[in-house]
Amino acid sequence: MVVEAVDVADAVAGTERGDPPREDVSNGDVLHPAKRLKEDYSDTQDRIASEVDFEELFALRGHGRGVSCVSFSPDGNLLASSSADASVKLWDPHKGELVRDLNVRDDAGELGGHDKGVSCVVFSPDGGTVATASDDKTIRTWDVSTGRCVRVFRGHTHFVLSCDISCRGNMLVSGSLDETVRIWEVRSGECLKEIPAHSDPVSCVCFSPDASIFVSSSFDGLCRVWDTETGRCLQTVYCSQECPPITSVRFTPNGKYLLMSHLDSALRLWDVAAGREVKKYVGHRNAKFSLTSDVWTHAGGAITSPLVVSGSEDGSVYLWDVSDMRVVARMEGRAAGEGGKDSPRGAQEKAHCDVVIACSANPKYAMLATGALEADMSVRVWRPKPKLNL
Amino acid sequence: MDVFLLDPGKANGFPTVLEDLIEAPEDHALTCVAFNPKGNLLAAGTQKGSLLIFDFETRGLERNCGCLHPDQAVTSVSFTGDGNRVLTATGFAHESRAPNAVLYDLAEAKIAVEVVLPSPPTFARVHPNGAEFLACFHQGPPVIYSISSAPSSRQVQASVCLPKDKEGSSHPPAWPVTANYLGDGDRVALGNASGEVEIVRNDLAFSVAMRRTAPIADSGAIKAIVENQARTLIALNIAGRSQQGFVRILQLVGGEGEGDRDAECASNVVGDFHDPACFAKGSSLGWVAFSWDNGHLLATSGAESKHHLSVWNLETQKLSCVLESSGLQPVWHAAWRPNRAALVTVNADGNCSVFGKKEKENWSCFAPGFRELEKNEEYVEQEDEFDASPAEQRTPAPPHSRDLVNILT
């Protein structure tokens, strides 16, 4: 589900949603912090002198509606993308070719496929399985080599927004609009635990590197860290007084920090052991959509330190240095409706032309993937521009 | 483990509540269990000679490794230090089959080595490095079997296995002799039926690391020897003679250190722990273990009819708690989960019970900024604390520092 501020209210009320409304939300609650931020960080635009150039490798097209999630396989040789039109596609990110369509009705096998939009797609650690979370209230696992559905995880009573697979591939955690988090056994599809985790939809879930704990984020503005074994809450992350909704959370590779995307146009890095916010990344726009962020450790080239990656509602992709919080690069795009209205849906453009909602960093190669909403519908693969040898 | 970042006390303490039951699959009554070093897999031997691997995180059956000992119950199961291989052995004789020990490779899903033993072993344990295993028998000294390139075996040479000279006449050795690896497997502790203990180094000559102790007064055979996680104490499970059975804890002193690796060490008795449930003469406790945090000693009761676990605090040497559950069958075997305060027992009906620590629900985790109090406290508020506009403005949050953060390691 492409989550918008207005959508959530509808969805919570139980109404099934048609096309997402394209009008801007005038509800000041959500937009206000962003406006204020703009004043605080008015010099941000000046600071964006891209230190590193990126080029677009491929624009992958095929989804019939907005892209909801992109994800690289652990070996970096496959890219999965999901869309609001219920399609899930596997791509070769090196060649820019479609490898396989998952969730094609006739090919999905006996268990069938999702019949509503897919919000999240993740690989298992061995790369042989893909898990998808959908608005049809189920999670499904798929065999990457055959494209068939392996298991259906039924139990959530509302749209499932996010899922993640543990490091050993034995457990799956999911977060849903029904405000619960569930832990499942991957092999059997059995629900091991149901945790009433939040008082608002759970937007994102993520296992720590060794899967002994996991984190859930919610539109109630909190992240909670849980003990996987007992289902006990270990910490509540609570960044600012306003508690802007959190749309994405993930552990850093060492499991010691959390990277969170807040709907006040900021990303924050949280020190789990110390229980405090250590970094804040601003400059992009995120006040309405459920954007995701990622940590990029293999940017390569001139970039030696890890980066934080996020899309933006202005159609751009932003990269920050983890430690000094400066914008290192920006792949410029444009927001939907801004100029070129008659251009046929972002065709042949060398940048996104709608909200960049999804991003994923390749864990092995210097490569980044992004996905954008309805006016664009493309998945784009980026890499740092090789330096010219003069 | 990421969880220790937020809950450092997770591994400490001892189990107090029955948490879960692992039900054996049909036709697979379990007989013994062992955890892998990480504690996420549980290997279980069955009545019919199969090896099953359970995923302890989900409590589901991960793999059925097939029947390694046809029609013989598995009585010993142990993991190598890297957790990749499992050794199983059967202690029951079978008319048509030679007793054997099997080393199963989990990564390759096949039998790595199968060794035929002269008689059914009472105990078998694989060396942490996976290159050899130790087997004890009803008669004769323990034997170390090499399972690397060239299979070979050597008997453990120790004075507890030798015949005794008493008043000029020679008595046969006090069989059975039990043995176990200590530490990284560089030493072997042995105990015999007359209550003598000895530790030898695991080298070619089996040089003595701790000289044979005098027989323990008024006791029967030493049934088992177990070392604690910190490798500071060893527990001897001793059968009683004119009294009930008990566990004796020894502390090894001297020996290694100060550059003299060949020095012999001595032992101090830390304490004796008696079965609180069974007072019969000549009884013995069942299975003995130290808690993972080394603070507690745990033993299953020798009483046959009950599911009964005793936990002693090693510091106070007092009984901390007795876990009894009348609905469960008697305990056959048990295993302590590495890194956790959790225990798995194998019951006589072939199912496993999982005992865990009662986790205290920490309510302040749900609402940061609140503190949990043991009891009500009188709160003295500050003059302006609940005023509409406090006199002192809240100090704004400090700006984020640009210090280096390491998110990788």
Side-chain angles (χ1 to χ4, degrees):
Chain A
M1 191 184 84
V2 176
V3 176
E4 299 181 40
V6 282
D7 268 354
V8 174
D10 288 347
V12 171
T15 53
E16 297 276 339
R17 176 185 46 89
D19 277 344
R22 294 242 59 86
E23 298 83 36
D24 220 9
V25 199
S26 53
N27 184 337
D29 283 338
V30 176
L31 286 176
H32 175 246
K35 277 182 192 155
R36 202 193 56 238
L37 265 169
K38 236 175 200 166
E39 289 155 21
D40 290 355
Y41 294 88
S42 51
D43 64 332
T44 309
Q45 292 299 321
D46 305 332
R47 280 199 270 127
I48 304 174
S50 274
E51 295 166 28
V52 191
D53 276 342
F54 284 81
E55 62 180 5
E56 186 187 303
L57 265 179
F58 306 109
L60 309 171
R61 291 169 206 285
H63 288 299
R65 284 188 59 190
V67 175
S68 58
C69 183
V70 289
S71 179
F72 277 104
S73 64
D75 64 1
N77 291 327
L78 271 179
L79 172 66
S81 64
S82 64
S83 159
D85 70 350
S87 59
V88 180
K89 289 171 190 290
L90 299 177
W91 312 86
D92 182 331
H94 305 291
K95 295 181 188 150
E97 291 165 357
L98 180 69
V99 175
R100 190 161 287 115
D101 262 314
L102 304 180
N103 205 23
V104 179
R105 201 138 298 172
D106 303 330
D107 277 350
E110 292 163 12
L111 293 170
H114 292 298
D115 50 15
K116 293 208 175 115
V118 176
S119 301
C120 182
V121 56
V122 284
F123 277 92
S124 66
D126 65 358
T129 307
V130 157
T132 53
S134 164
D135 288 2
D136 65 7
K137 306 175 194 171
T138 66
I139 303 132
R140 283 169 189 267
T141 48
W142 307 82
D143 187 326
V144 167
S145 54
T146 63
R148 288 184 166 251
C149 179
V150 181
R151 193 82 59 217
V152 189
F153 301 77
R154 291 179 211 275
H156 278 299
T157 56
H158 218 307
F159 303 168
V160 191
L161 296 185
S162 174
C163 61
D164 194 17
I165 302 182
S166 69
C167 58
R168 289 181 53 233
N170 59 342
M171 287 182 290
L172 191 145
V173 61
S174 63
S176 159
L177 222 63
D178 65 14
E179 302 174 7
T180 66
V181 167
R182 281 170 186 257
I183 303 173
W184 312 81
E185 183 176 22
V186 170
R187 192 179 295 104
S188 64
E190 190 189 330
C191 181
L192 299 172
K193 276 186 195 78
E194 182 189 351
I195 304 170
H198 292 275
S199 52
D200 262 322
V202 180
S203 55
C204 192
V205 284
C206 180
F207 273 115
S208 75
D210 74 0
S212 62
I213 50 177
F214 68 92
V215 62
S216 64
S217 72
S218 165
F219 297 135
D220 63 10
L222 303 172
C223 281
R224 289 205 163 106
V225 184
W226 307 87
D227 184 334
T228 313
E229 189 189 1
T230 60
R232 211 159 49 103
C233 182
L234 297 175
Q235 190 178 67
T236 298
V237 175
Y238 173 85
C239 271
S240 63
Q241 292 295 312
E242 288 88 15
C243 279
I246 303 170
T247 61
S248 157
V249 64
R250 64 182 61 229
F251 276 97
T252 58
N254 60 3
K256 290 177 182 160
Y257 298 91
L258 295 172
L259 177 68
M260 303 178 283
S261 299
H262 283 88
L263 270 189
D264 62 350
S265 296
L267 283 85
R268 291 178 173 88
L269 195 69
W270 178 268
D271 185 331
V272 175
R276 64 188 180 91
E277 180 187 328
V278 286
K279 304 282 174 188
K280 184 173 177 182
Y281 310 96
V282 292
H284 67 310
R285 199 168 83 209
N286 182 13
K288 186 176 162 191
F289 291 93
S290 197
L291 303 195
T292 60
S293 48
D294 201 0
V295 176
W296 196 7
T297 54
H298 283 75
I303 311 160
T304 49
S305 57
L307 301 177
V308 167
V309 189
S310 174
S312 168
E313 285 165 12
D314 59 12
S316 305
V317 181
Y318 286 76
L319 296 167
W320 294 264
D321 184 278
V322 166
S323 294
D324 66 11
M325 301 177 286
R326 93 184 171 271
V327 176
V328 175
R330 176 181 175 211
M331 283 87 102
E332 202 157 339
R334 60 185 173 78
E338 280 177 19
K341 248 181 199 164
D342 304 326
S343 70
R345 296 208 141 204
Q348 281 86 47
E349 284 196 50
K350 288 305 258 182
H352 283 301
C353 58
D354 202 347
V355 173
V356 180
I357 194 162
C359 66
S360 175
N362 192 313
K364 290 279 183 300
Y365 304 94
M367 198 184 273
L368 188 71
T370 56
L373 287 187
E374 314 280 316
D376 184 313
M377 303 193 301
S378 69
V379 173
R380 283 166 205 262
V381 181
W382 311 81
R383 71 165 182 202
K385 232 179 211 171
K387 270 200 178 150
L388 289 177
N389 256 336
L390 294 175
Chain B
M1 295 291 280
D2 295 329
V3 67
F4 297 135
L5 205 63
L6 290 170
D7 190 1
K10 193 168 169 68
N12 301 339
F14 57 92
T16 52
V17 286
L18 180 65
E19 207 175 67
D20 204 356
L21 271 177
I22 297 181
E23 283 188 30
E26 221 170 291
D27 286 349
H28 283 97
L30 307 181
T31 51
C32 56
V33 287
F35 276 105
N36 71 338
K38 277 187 189 161
N40 53 20
L41 296 179
L42 180 76
T46 73
Q47 192 80 51
K48 297 223 170 128
S50 298
L51 174 65
L52 306 176
I53 307 291
F54 290 91
D55 182 336
F56 203 70
E57 288 170 345
T58 64
R59 311 277 154 91
L61 182 66
E62 171 134 340
R63 188 188 297 171
N64 184 344
C65 303
C67 190
L68 308 180
H69 308 275
D71 300 327
Q72 291 160 292
V74 178
T75 52
S76 296
V77 56
S78 57
F79 270 93
T80 56
D82 58 7
N84 286 339
R85 291 174 164 199
V86 184
L87 181 89
T88 61
T90 172
F92 290 103
H94 193 275
E95 310 86 45
S96 57
R97 289 178 220 281
N100 63 347
V102 174
L103 191 71
Y104 188 86
D105 195 310
L106 289 178
E108 292 176 17
K110 67 179 177 68
I111 293 172
V113 184
E114 187 171 352
V115 177
V116 176
L117 304 176
S119 65
T122 55
F123 174 83
R125 185 184 156 189
V126 67
H127 190 283
N129 69 10
E132 60 180 40
F133 71 90
L134 175 75
C136 307
F137 302 97
H138 291 287
Q139 294 278 323
V143 179
I144 290 176
Y145 290 86
S146 165
I147 41 182
S148 47
S149 49
S152 63
S153 66
R154 56 204 177 103
Q155 292 190 340
V156 178
Q157 307 292 331
S159 64
V160 292
C161 309
L162 297 177
K164 273 186 232 147
D165 290 325
K166 209 186 255 177
E167 295 153 12
S169 64
S170 177
H171 288 261
W175 307 126
V177 170
T178 185
N180 200 350
Y181 287 119
L182 296 185
D184 295 321
D186 54 342
R187 288 180 298 167
V188 178
L190 302 102
N192 67 10
S194 51
E196 295 165 321
V197 184
E198 184 176 4
I199 299 174
V200 295
R201 290 196 179 81
N202 187 7
D203 50 27
L204 287 174
F206 292 109
S207 57
V208 174
M210 189 187 84
R211 216 172 276 259
R212 182 177 63 171
T213 59
I216 297 163
D218 190 29
S219 72
I222 294 177
K223 315 265 287 187
I225 302 172
V226 185
E227 191 182 31
N228 69 346
Q229 294 303 325
R231 297 172 178 179
T232 52
L233 304 173
I234 56 173
L236 309 172
N237 183 9
I238 302 162
R241 186 166 287 170
S242 65
Q243 53 159 346
Q244 68 199 111
F246 61 99
V247 180
R248 172 164 288 186
I249 306 283
L250 298 181
Q251 184 177 28
L252 302 184
V253 287
E256 290 181 42
E258 285 102 57
D260 187 7
R261 271 191 60 87
D262 294 333
E264 289 183 14
C265 61
S267 65
N268 288 337
V269 176
V270 174
D272 288 348
F273 300 88
H274 294 268
D275 189 344
C278 181
F279 304 101
K281 278 183 192 174
S283 69
S284 66
L285 288 144
W287 175 85
V288 175
F290 289 96
S291 71
W292 186 254
D293 64 352
N294 305 306
H296 297 84
L297 174 76
L298 194 138
T300 61
S301 172
E304 285 295 316
S305 57
K306 262 189 183 167
H307 193 282
H308 192 116
L309 292 159
S310 314
V311 182
W312 291 274
N313 187 325
L314 283 178
E315 215 165 281
T316 61
Q317 304 206 1
K318 296 237 166 71
L319 191 66
S320 301
C321 80
V322 174
L323 299 175
E324 254 184 288
S325 39
S326 52
L328 295 170
Q329 304 282 322
V331 180
W332 276 6
H333 192 252
W336 190 282
R337 184 176 183 195
N339 296 313
R340 290 286 195 286
L343 175 81
V344 172
T345 62
V346 185
N347 310 325
D349 62 357
N351 291 328
C352 282
S353 320
V354 182
F355 289 89
K357 189 167 74 166
K358 189 165 189 178
E359 300 283 355
K360 207 175 122 205
E361 197 64 71
N362 192 0
W363 295 109
S364 58
C365 285
F366 284 93
F370 286 85
R371 195 161 54 91
E372 285 174 43
L373 302 174
E374 289 292 323
K375 57 181 172 55
N376 276 340
E377 282 177 19
E378 194 73 32
Y379 184 74
V380 185
E381 71 184 78
Q382 289 166 7
E383 179 59 32
D384 57 353
E385 194 173 353
F386 297 110
D387 289 359
S389 55
E392 278 178 49
Q393 282 292 318
R394 283 179 60 246
T395 49
H400 298 86
S401 86
R402 292 177 187 267
D403 293 347
L404 216 59
V405 292
N406 182 357
I407 62 163
L408 300 178
T409 52

